[in-house]
Every structure is written in C-alpha cells, then in structure tokens.
Amino acid sequence: MKKACDACRRRKIKCDAKHPCTHCRLTTLSCTYLAIPQRKGRQGEKANVISALRAAQTNNVVNSVQLDRSGLARTGEFTRHPGLLPSETIVGCTEFFFTRLHSTLPILNREKFQRDVILMNDSIESYCLVVSFCAFVIIQTGGVKHTFSGADGSQLEADISHGRALLDEALAARRQLDILAEPMFETVTVSFFLYGCHVGLGLQRQGWFFLREATTLYSTRTFKSDDSPEEGIYLELLWQNLYWLLLVSERSHAIRRYRPITLQITSETPELSESLSTVNIGLKYLAELFRPFDETFLALWNKADALCLPPSLVGLEQRILAAVPASAIGLSDDQIANLRVSQQWLRTMVWRLSTSLGFLSSSSVNDCMTFRYPLQIAKDLTLSTFKLPQQSMEIHGIGLTEKVYDVACTLTDVLSCIPSIESKTSSFELGPEDYLNYFFSLIYRLRGGKSRFLPLLLRIVNQTLPSLIAPITRHLQIPGGISEYGVLATDLRFGYDETMFGFHDTEMNLWLERGRISTDVRDRVEQRDIRSDLQST
C-alpha cells in the first residue's frame, strides 16, 4: 500500500512517495515516514501547516544540538540504509568518474579507492567517502538515466532523487566523524564532494560552507614526510592536486558570489610537477588561470579597496591569455571545454572590474580597456567551443553553464548600446548577434540552462534588446515563443519563486545584475568618444 510522508499527510496533499518527495523538497522540509496513521481528524491549530512543520523540525534540531553540547554521545544514532548503495551503483560511478571526470578532478587513485570500497562495511570513514563520491557523480551528471554501465554490461538508472538520498546518507554518516581531529585526505575529499553536490543542486550557501570547510581542513593539515608510507609519493601528488583544485574552486566561487578566500599561494605552496600526465597538465593550465586572482583582486572586486591602476588590469588580462596555449595539444575535449570557457569568463570579469573603476576609453591602446572588448571575448568563446561535443561541456555541471551565462549577459548589455545597423555584418561573416544566438543555443542545450538561466537571459534581452526576442525564440524553436516564459515580459519586478528556478528572490537579483554595465558607463555611451569607439566595431 502507498504511504504518504509525514509532512504530506499533515498537509493533506498527495505524496509521490519518493525519498525525499517532491513537495518536501520544494518546501525544504525533512521527508520522513515515522508517523503511525490514526483514525481521527486533524486537531489543534489548522492555519499555516508548513510553518508549524518547519518550527517543529527546527526545535528537533535545536534539541539535538543541545544534547550534543551537554556531552551525550551520538554513537549508535546513525543507521545505514540497506539497499541504498548497491554494488552496481558503486561500479558504475567509479567507471564513469575515472573515464570522464578524472581528467578534470585528478584527486582519486583507482586502487586506493577500491580499498575504501572494500573497507566501507567496517570503516565509517570509508563508507562516508564512497557514499559522498557516488552522490557527487550522480548529481554532477544531472540525473540522466542510463548514464552508467554496470559490470555485467547492463544499464544502471540513476536520477537526482537517488543522488539526493545518497547525499543525505553521506551527511548523516559524516556526523559520526571527528572533524576536529588531524585532517586525513579522505576527510578533505568528502568535504569537497559535499560542496559539489550542494552546488549541483543549486544550494549555493550550503555549498560555500563545505568548500570553506575543505579549505580550512587542508590549511590545518600537518605536513609529514612519513605520511602513509604504503602510498608513498603518489599520495603526496594527490594532496597537491587537491590543493590546486580547492584553490580554483574557491576563487571561482568567490568571484561568482563576492566571497573571501582562504588559500593563499606562498613559497610553501605545493607546486604541480612538470613531468606529469596530460591529466595533471590540464589542471596545471587551470591553476595558472586562477593564480593571479588573489586577495588583491578580490578586494577590488568586493569593493573593499579602490586603489588600482589600469596597467595592473592590463597585465592581469595578459596573464589570462598566456595561461593556456593557443594549441593545447594532448588535452581531451573535456579539459579544453573547461579551460576555454573559464578563460573567456575570467576575461569578462576583468573587463567588468575595469568598467566599474571607470578605466574604459576609446583612446586606449589596449583593447581590453575599450568598450567593445566583450565582442572579442564572445567571438573567441564561440570559435573555441563551437566544435566541442555537448557532452564535453555538460560534464562540468552547472558551473560551466553559469559562466556562459555571464559572458552572454555582458554581450547583451554591450549590444544594447550599439545601433542595430552597426552591429550587423555581411552575410558571410559571424557578428555579435550570431554570437548571442550561439550562447542562447548553448545555454538551452546544457544541463540546467533551460530551467535556470534561459528565463533570466530572455528577460534581460527583452528589457534591453526587445527586437531580438522573436529571432532568438525562432532559433531555439520554442513553440510558444517568449509567452512560454510569460512571467518574464509582464513587468520589471523580481517576483520569481524558488520552486520555479531553484533560488530565492535575493539570489535572483544577483543573477539579473550579473554582467550589467553600470549607469555611469551607460551615460558615457552618449558622449562622442565612446560613440566613435562603437562605430569602429
């Protein structure tokens, strides 16, 4: 017999019996099946059942925290869910990771991970690592069914609900670990996987917490020459890779969400070895991209400091261009997709900072200090990713889609300041509007883009370039045109609901302002020096 969860039963609504069910996930309630059905009607206060449920669950959390602080042990509270992690899931996720994801996340060794799989029934540390690993792989792939192949060749179905259940299991198991003990490699890796899971689900605040935890744990690690002698130098290489992966993730997240950073590059920073495989060479290029984005840049970015000169940003632009060679021979399509999109995204962020500081000028000898520079960035991003397989871009999850969205926003804002006749090119050449169409098509096809970023980008274009809405919707073959996203064209208020796009109104405002040109720069467009700069485009 079907059994509704406790929250749906209390609210008197239909439950789909998933773990968690759809209603609990959308209302951020804990989905449990603990209540015993009784033959009586609902009693007591009937108003605002959701708020009452939230309050009750909050009280339970507070009480559990108070019990922990009073010294009562939590040992025995965690019970593994049988059948949640079958061997087919572990084998499928392992094969997929070391076949596709390992080229950009070289932080695991297959043999060492297999030992953790063997020990997971007896070790809570190994169990937590394996569960968080499988949750990360499933969520990172977007919950596409028939993604993994089992050992016997059969196809294994894995969806987002399964990934969420594994994430909940990993969080529950992780509470049994002593986080304040000497950080182990597995402990830091689990925190990183939890960060990736939450970001993949659109839970940016929670993801930021686990990312900061991972960087803090790494910073408190005691470097020993005799660490795990059985693994020897290879484990130390994994520590090095993990450091640079955390540094790249932290700085990328800090730029997107205006956050501070923890990891600093000093004389004691572990450098990536020169004599490595192409897997680590790709990570080396990525590390060189994000190396100059230190506290000095973020202080300017977060408006904590205003002391900056144009030559410093010009030099930063040159370092971004030199970080990745024009012909990255030997790298896979997955690595090239991540490198090229990140490179053009960082160029866009530097140009945005130059814009906010008022450094743009039509008389500048540096192209990166001119108003038309985003058109060149859009061209470079289009040409560098046009022939890449879609799977090579999807493998990097929602983060890559977000970067394309930022570049498209900036391009849209610049196009809105250029007369339509000036933005057109001959029928045999690609122009700025063609680049914008390509970005729309890319966001429409990439995982999470159609539901999360496409409506926002359509709204921005509808506000700034309404004449392009019809051609874009025809290009995307949207049956209802913009009416399919009718809420976008109604007014200028930010009235979106989290259940529709995956984030709150405050987060929505941040997305809509991303890549937008400041008012003072937009006013300067009317002046002759900027107008002449645009006419040369």
Side-chain angles (χ1 to χ4, degrees), residues 296-367:
T296 302
F297 174 86
L298 289 171
L300 295 169
W301 184 255
N302 296 328
K303 296 181 174 57
D305 189 4
L307 182 60
C308 180
L309 296 176
S312 62
L313 295 182
V314 174
L316 181 57
E317 168 73 15
Q318 293 173 352
R319 292 187 64 177
I320 296 174
L321 292 175
V324 183
S327 57
I329 301 176
L331 297 181
S332 64
D333 289 339
D334 299 345
Q335 293 173 307
I336 293 176
N338 190 28
L339 289 171
R340 294 306 181 192
V341 173
S342 297
Q343 184 182 46
Q344 306 310 323
W345 176 71
L346 289 175
R347 292 173 68 189
T348 303
M349 298 299 104
V350 174
W351 182 86
R352 281 188 54 203
L353 181 59
S354 303
T355 302
S356 63
L357 295 175
F359 291 161
L360 298 185
S361 172
S362 59
S363 60
S364 177
V365 295
N366 301 295
D367 290 341

Side-chain angles (χ1 to χ4, degrees), residues 19-36:
H19 297 275
C21 71
T22 302
H23 295 299
C24 290
R25 178 170 56 85
L26 295 180
T27 53
T28 64
L29 293 172
S30 298
C31 190
T32 59
Y33 294 83
L34 304 177
I36 300 176

Side-chain angles (χ1 to χ4, degrees), residues 219-447:
S219 301
T220 58
R221 174 206 172 198
T222 302
F223 292 88
K224 302 177 182 178
S225 57
D226 57 345
D227 273 349
S228 302
E230 64 275 10
E231 274 82 14
I233 191 173
Y234 196 87
L235 180 60
E236 198 60 35
L237 291 177
L238 291 180
W239 274 110
Q240 295 177 10
N241 293 349
L242 180 59
Y243 171 85
W244 287 103
L245 184 61
L246 290 175
L247 182 138
V248 168
S249 301
E250 183 184 43
R251 298 191 176 189
S252 176
H253 196 103
I255 295 173
R256 294 198 304 264
R257 293 294 185 280
Y258 302 94
R259 304 287 192 182
I261 58 176
T262 301
L263 297 179
Q264 304 295 331
I265 301 178
T266 65
S267 58
E268 299 180 355
T269 297
E271 291 291 341
L272 291 170
S273 176
E274 294 289 343
S275 57
L276 295 174
S277 63
T278 56
V279 171
N280 291 59
I281 292 177
L283 179 59
K284 183 177 179 63
Y285 289 150
L286 191 64
E288 290 300 318
L289 274 177
F290 285 88
R291 180 188 288 265
F293 291 86
D294 52 11
E295 283 187 324
T296 302
F297 174 86
L298 289 171
L300 295 169
W301 184 255
N302 296 328
K303 296 181 174 57
D305 189 4
L307 182 60
C308 180
L309 296 176
S312 62
L313 295 182
V314 174
L316 181 57
E317 168 73 15
Q318 293 173 352
R319 292 187 64 177
I320 296 174
L321 292 175
V324 183
S327 57
I329 301 176
L331 297 181
S332 64
D333 289 339
D334 299 345
Q335 293 173 307
I336 293 176
N338 190 28
L339 289 171
R340 294 306 181 192
V341 173
S342 297
Q343 184 182 46
Q344 306 310 323
W345 176 71
L346 289 175
R347 292 173 68 189
T348 303
M349 298 299 104
V350 174
W351 182 86
R352 281 188 54 203
L353 181 59
S354 303
T355 302
S356 63
L357 295 175
F359 291 161
L360 298 185
S361 172
S362 59
S363 60
S364 177
V365 295
N366 301 295
D367 290 341
C368 61
M369 291 295 167
T370 60
F371 188 78
R372 66 174 181 268
Y373 194 57
L375 304 182
Q376 181 62 43
I377 297 176
K379 177 181 178 181
D380 293 344
L381 180 58
T382 301
L383 296 180
S384 60
T385 60
F386 185 77
K387 293 184 179 181
L388 291 176
Q390 181 176 341
Q391 292 182 348
S392 297
M393 304 191 73
E394 282 189 340
I395 201 67
H396 302 289
I398 198 70
L400 185 138
T401 311
E402 179 180 342
K403 294 175 181 177
V404 176
Y405 167 81
D406 281 340
V407 177
C409 282
T410 306
L411 175 62
T412 302
D413 229 1
V414 172
L415 283 177
S416 66
C417 300
I418 302 177
S420 58
I421 189 174
E422 296 178 14
S423 64
K424 294 181 179 179
T425 58
S426 66
S427 58
F428 300 100
E429 299 178 1
L430 293 178
E433 294 183 4
D434 298 310
Y435 306 145
L436 185 60
N437 279 331
Y438 170 71
F439 294 151
F440 263 101
S441 177
L442 200 58
I443 292 174
Y444 186 79
R445 290 183 286 110
L446 290 179
R447 183 176 301 118

Side-chain angles (χ1 to χ4, degrees), residues 91-108:
V91 172
C93 291
T94 303
E95 290 299 322
F96 186 86
F97 179 87
F98 286 101
T99 302
R100 299 297 305 276
L101 290 176
H102 189 255
S103 61
T104 52
L105 302 174
I107 56 174
L108 289 181

Side-chain angles (χ1 to χ4, degrees), residues 9 14 16 89 154 164 228 240 289 332 422 426 457 460 468 478 488 499:
R9 180 182 297 277
K14 186 176 181 180
D16 54 15
T89 300
S154 61
R164 285 177 177 271
S228 302
Q240 295 177 10
L289 274 177
S332 64
E422 296 178 14
S426 66
L457 192 55
I460 292 175
L468 294 182
I478 300 178
L488 303 176
T499 60

